[in-house]
Amino acid sequence: MKKYKFNFKGEFPKYIQISRHIKKLINSKVIKEGDKLPSIRGLSNLLGVNTVTVVNAYKRLETEGYALQKIGSGTYAKGKVENRNFLKEYSSIYKKLSGGSLKDYIDFTGETTCSEFFPVKTFKEALNNVLDRDGADAFTYQNALGYEGLRESINIYFWKKELDSEDIIIVSGAQQGIDIVSKAIINVNDNIVVEKPTYSGALNVFKWRRANIFEIDMFKDGVDMSFFKKILKKNKIKCFYVMSYFQNPTGYTYSIEKKREILNLAEEYDFYIIEDDYLSELIYDNDIKYQSFKSLDINDRVIYIKSFSKIFLPGIRMGYVIPPLKFSEAVQNSKINTDRTTSSLMQRALDLYIREGYWKKHIKKLNNSYKIRYEYMEEILNNVLKDKIIFNSPGGGLNFYIKIRDEINMNCVELFNRCKKEKIIITPGVLFYKNNIEGEKYFRIGFSQTGVKEIKKGVEVIDEILK
């Protein structure tokens, strides 16, 4: 404890002086990464300050990435890692690569299907048939809710006529869906619960709405329910953002039992569930059965968001939202205020594509093709990297989420930079956390844009780097 003792000087508040002193100790390696910091009461007694001062100092350290609080355990030191502004840096790098040079890399970052699986021929037929059938009408503005035929086909083929087609709102992809729902129902200082880690695009939207964000650790069958209940008992929660299948980035899938329990809690504590139905079409494990939160919802608590872009043609940017009756008008107005309508021609073509049975064939082809890549990447990870990483086999989707073993002295930002030099792109785990320092030992790799040869070569290079 002696190393924590120092004399207060100057006009800065005491909590700032305490945090600066501890930062110096961490940077100089006097306090090592993972060391437990003194208890709040212990440090307050040592320094002769009140406990609130120490609490504020620890909060400042955590915000700056020098400490990590573990519920029920205490506060631990974190070594200085150069990832404070990494989100901007990563975004800038990826934009440059996406401009054309990405084809020179082994791309493990993809979240959409590979161009070799694009159904160009059949979709072209659908487009031509729409133009022959509808002529100039194919280019007119639609109802703000979307093309009536497409909403009807979604209801028939995806929901077995269990909905009213008027309840379906066509949007320009899942990201816009999250955005318009947030604008419609989330206000400043509303309390939002998200999975930890979670999709950075949703996290940024909620931050932009200036909501208070609570994170709950993900388990293999969904979020930590005991901690979720503690949050609900102490806070008035507005909504819970959830990815029910192959959660991004962990790949975890919710059990039916946990879905029902969360739906019951939503009714009991009066909150709403924003369900991002992410890649649920790509199921390779026969033990995983599809049943969304929305399909189990009897109390109208689920705001359902679905994208066609990730598994179909990314460029058409299309998806849909099904809001509860309570928020239907607000979400519709939010959509109208965001953009007048999604492409009329593309909506009509997608409608015809679904009705003609092409969609069903396309999804079957994707499952067969990606299952081969999935099983191959799983095998390579087990055979090549097993002593350096820990990972979960998700049973579907397009990605694996990987933890670098603690004994490997490398974080994901360093791994990203070294991989980039070897013409390989991965997704660093720091992007998926509100406090990005928590994702230092994680990274995500996907197989949507990579064939078998590229998977093998890329994983072997990662192995050499981690050595």
Side-chain angles (χ1 to χ4, degrees):
M1 290 282 284
K2 286 184 180 179
K3 59 192 172 190
Y4 293 96
K5 185 73 175 176
F6 73 102
N7 295 319
F8 292 103
K9 297 178 181 178
E11 58 187 25
F12 285 104
K14 288 183 178 179
Y15 80 93
I16 292 179
Q17 294 188 53
I18 293 170
S19 68
R20 286 180 175 178
H21 176 67
I22 294 175
K23 275 166 62 175
K24 286 181 182 178
L25 295 175
I26 293 171
N27 287 334
S28 61
K29 307 292 186 183
V30 174
I31 300 175
K32 294 180 174 59
E33 180 160 358
D35 285 356
K36 187 174 182 179
L37 300 181
S39 68
I40 292 168
R41 189 169 298 279
L43 190 57
S44 68
N45 290 337
L46 178 71
L47 298 177
V49 298
N50 62 44
T51 55
V52 174
T53 300
V54 178
V55 168
N56 289 334
Y58 280 2
K59 282 183 178 178
R60 183 180 175 88
L61 286 168
E62 190 171 12
T63 299
E64 294 179 349
Y66 281 88
L68 176 63
Q69 184 182 24
K70 297 182 179 179
I71 304 297
S73 177
T75 304
Y76 294 80
K78 295 290 292 181
K80 185 179 179 184
V81 178
E82 301 300 331
N83 64 8
R84 312 292 176 242
N85 296 312
F86 184 70
L87 182 58
K88 289 183 180 179
E89 181 188 344
Y90 175 81
S91 178
S92 175
I93 290 169
Y94 197 74
K95 281 178 182 176
K96 289 178 182 177
L97 293 175
S98 297
S101 59
L102 192 59
K103 64 180 181 297
D104 299 324
Y105 288 72
I106 294 176
D107 180 15
F108 283 141
T109 66
E111 293 185 77
T112 58
T113 53
C114 184
S115 59
E116 69 181 88
F117 300 125
F118 288 177
V120 175
K121 184 178 179 181
T122 49
F123 194 68
K124 181 181 178 182
E125 289 178 15
L127 280 169
N128 289 333
N129 289 339
V130 165
L131 291 171
D132 289 340
R133 183 191 69 190
D134 299 342
D137 289 342
F139 298 97
T140 59
Y141 281 124
Q142 298 300 318
N143 183 315
L145 298 178
Y147 176 54
E148 184 178 345
L150 178 57
R151 287 185 285 129
E152 187 180 88
S153 65
I154 289 170
N155 190 16
I156 293 170
Y157 294 98
F158 301 147
W159 294 93
K160 300 177 181 177
K161 300 183 181 180
E162 294 173 358
L163 305 174
D164 185 335
S165 298
E166 293 297 308
D167 295 334
I168 298 168
I169 303 171
I170 304 300
V171 295
S172 300
Q175 183 65 41
Q176 188 189 63
I178 296 167
D179 184 57
I180 67 169
V181 166
S182 297
K183 288 176 181 175
I185 70 173
I186 297 175
N187 299 308
V188 175
N189 289 328
D190 277 346
N191 295 324
I192 309 299
V193 173
V194 300
E195 301 153 329
K196 186 170 78 171
T198 192
Y199 168 50
S200 58
L203 206 53
N204 291 335
V205 170
F206 301 144
K207 286 178 180 177
W208 180 75
R209 296 298 296 168
R210 295 170 63 190
N212 302 315
I213 301 171
F214 294 83
E215 297 177 294
I216 308 179
D217 286 326
M218 279 293 290
F219 295 160
K220 287 187 177 181
D221 65 342
V223 289
D224 178 351
M225 292 304 295
S226 61
F227 189 51
F228 195 4
K229 290 172 185 176
K230 287 179 183 178
I231 290 174
L232 291 172
K233 287 175 182 177
K234 293 181 180 180
N235 305 275
K236 173 59 181 170
I237 299 300
K238 185 69 168 285
C239 59
F240 170 39
Y241 172 72
V242 55
M243 286 171 277
S244 45
Y245 283 84
F246 316 123
Q247 193 259 4
N248 184 14
T250 65
Y252 294 150
T253 291
Y254 281 75
S255 66
I256 300 297
E257 294 74 22
K258 193 162 277 191
K259 286 176 185 173
R260 289 198 172 102
E261 186 177 4
I262 291 170
L263 284 164
N264 289 335
L265 289 173
E267 183 67 11
E268 180 181 353
Y269 289 96
D270 189 25
F271 67 89
Y272 288 83
I273 299 164
I274 302 175
E275 181 179 16
D276 187 349
D277 190 355
Y278 177 75
L279 295 179
S280 60
E281 292 85 356
L282 301 179
I283 298 176
Y284 318 128
D285 185 339
N286 293 330
D287 291 333
I288 299 176
K289 307 300 179 187
Y290 178 71
Q291 207 164 7
S292 63
F293 276 91
K294 184 66 179 178
S295 67
L296 298 168
D297 181 21
I298 59 174
N299 296 309
D300 210 20
R301 287 281 167 184
V302 176
I303 304 159
Y304 180 87
I305 301 173
K306 184 67 183 175
S307 172
F308 293 114
S309 305
K310 293 191 186 309
I311 55 170
F312 188 49
L313 294 166
I316 70 168
R317 303 303 305 156
M318 206 175 302
Y320 65 97
V321 174
I322 306 172
L325 183 60
K326 178 178 179 179
F327 297 123
S328 184
E329 185 175 353
V331 175
Q332 289 177 28
N333 290 337
S334 180
K335 162 63 176 170
I336 293 168
N337 291 333
T338 300
D339 66 6
R340 179 66 183 85
T341 185
T342 303
S343 168
S344 171
L345 176 60
M346 291 301 174
Q347 287 189 66
R348 290 168 185 256
L350 181 58
D351 168 44
L352 192 61
Y353 189 87
I354 293 169
R355 290 176 185 270
E356 293 294 325
Y358 294 136
W359 178 267
K360 192 173 181 180
K361 292 176 182 177
H362 174 63
I363 296 302
K364 184 177 180 180
K365 178 183 177 182
L366 282 185
N367 268 276
N368 292 337
S369 300
Y370 276 127
K371 184 177 181 181
I372 295 170
R373 293 190 187 187
Y374 166 81
E375 291 176 345
Y376 184 74
M377 180 171 271
E378 181 184 40
E379 180 184 350
I380 289 290
L381 290 174
N382 275 319
N383 291 340
V384 177
L385 290 175
K386 64 180 178 181
D387 59 335
K388 302 178 185 67
I389 64 168
I390 301 168
F391 74 96
N392 167 64
S393 295
L398 295 171
N399 300 289
F400 286 87
Y401 196 54
I402 296 168
K403 181 181 181 183
I404 304 168
R405 289 186 181 272
D406 292 336
E407 58 267 27
I408 304 292
N409 186 26
M410 188 176 296
N411 63 69
C412 66
V413 175
E414 184 181 354
L415 179 62
F416 170 83
N417 287 322
R418 291 183 64 176
C419 281
K420 183 164 69 71
K421 289 179 181 178
E422 301 294 333
K423 298 288 186 179
I424 295 167
I425 303 295
I426 62 170
T427 306
V430 294
L431 303 179
F432 301 109
Y433 293 81
K434 185 175 75 168
N435 179 3
N436 63 16
I437 202 165
E438 293 185 68
E440 284 176 359
K441 297 295 284 188
Y442 294 87
F443 65 99
R444 191 190 68 191
I445 61 174
F447 47 88
S448 69
Q449 303 295 325
T450 52
V452 168
K453 289 182 180 179
E454 289 81 8
I455 289 171
K456 186 174 188 295
K457 180 181 177 182
V459 171
E460 286 176 346
V461 171
I462 291 172
D463 178 53
E464 287 299 318
I465 293 171
L466 290 176
K467 282 179 181 177

